[in-house]
Amino acid sequence: MPTRCVNCAISGKSRSGPRNHPATAVIIWVVVADEEVFVRSVRGSKGRWYRDLATGGSATLEFARRRLGVRALPAGDAGSIARASREFLRKYQPSPYAQSIVRDEVLQTTLRLEPS
């Protein structure tokens, strides 16, 4: 799994049937905390990629000219959320959008990625 993911994208297919949108890669923020890879939807549960991945859809993480098949597991426990939040703020601190990824209403969209 990536330890540094500057321009990460995720793409995949939904288990819920054909999508109403093209299967294109979406840029996402990815962090590594305690050797676990986390993603979170800044749009909360409304985020398209989050809905697809949270329902068990397969995905491909693209980083550093590499592609890695991944599956997502819910990481809604307090410890995972806190570790991921600290790492999101540390890594993306220069961005004016960093605080938006740690808002209370998006914390439950924290997912842990594992190779598939």
Side-chain angles (χ1 to χ4, degrees):
M1 294 298 274
T3 56
R4 177 138 171 94
C5 195
V6 178
N7 291 312
C8 292
I10 199 154
S11 58
K13 295 187 177 182
S14 172
R15 278 191 167 172
S16 60
R19 292 180 175 176
N20 293 326
H21 49 271
T24 57
V26 176
I27 303 296
I28 60 171
W29 285 8
V30 177
V31 295
V32 177
D34 298 331
E35 300 196 25
E36 292 182 304
V37 179
F38 294 100
V39 294
R40 184 181 289 159
S41 172
V42 72
R43 295 190 67 217
S45 59
K46 295 176 185 175
R48 180 199 84 189
W49 70 264
Y50 170 78
R51 287 192 320 267
D52 290 345
L53 208 53
T55 60
S58 60
T60 301
L61 185 64
E62 301 175 25
F63 60 98
R65 297 187 190 149
R66 295 177 54 200
R67 296 169 60 89
L68 178 67
V70 295
R71 66 185 183 115
L73 300 170
D77 62 282
S80 293
I81 288 173
R83 288 193 324 276
S85 293
R86 277 193 303 272
E87 199 56 29
F88 276 116
L89 289 174
R90 186 199 63 76
K91 181 177 179 183
Y92 296 105
Q93 175 268 329
S95 171
Y97 305 106
Q99 290 297 318
S100 63
I101 201 73
V102 295
R103 291 175 293 129
D104 286 341
E105 58 268 26
V106 302
L107 297 180
Q108 291 303 316
T109 65
T110 305
L111 299 171
R112 189 177 75 245
L113 299 183
E114 294 185 348
S116 59

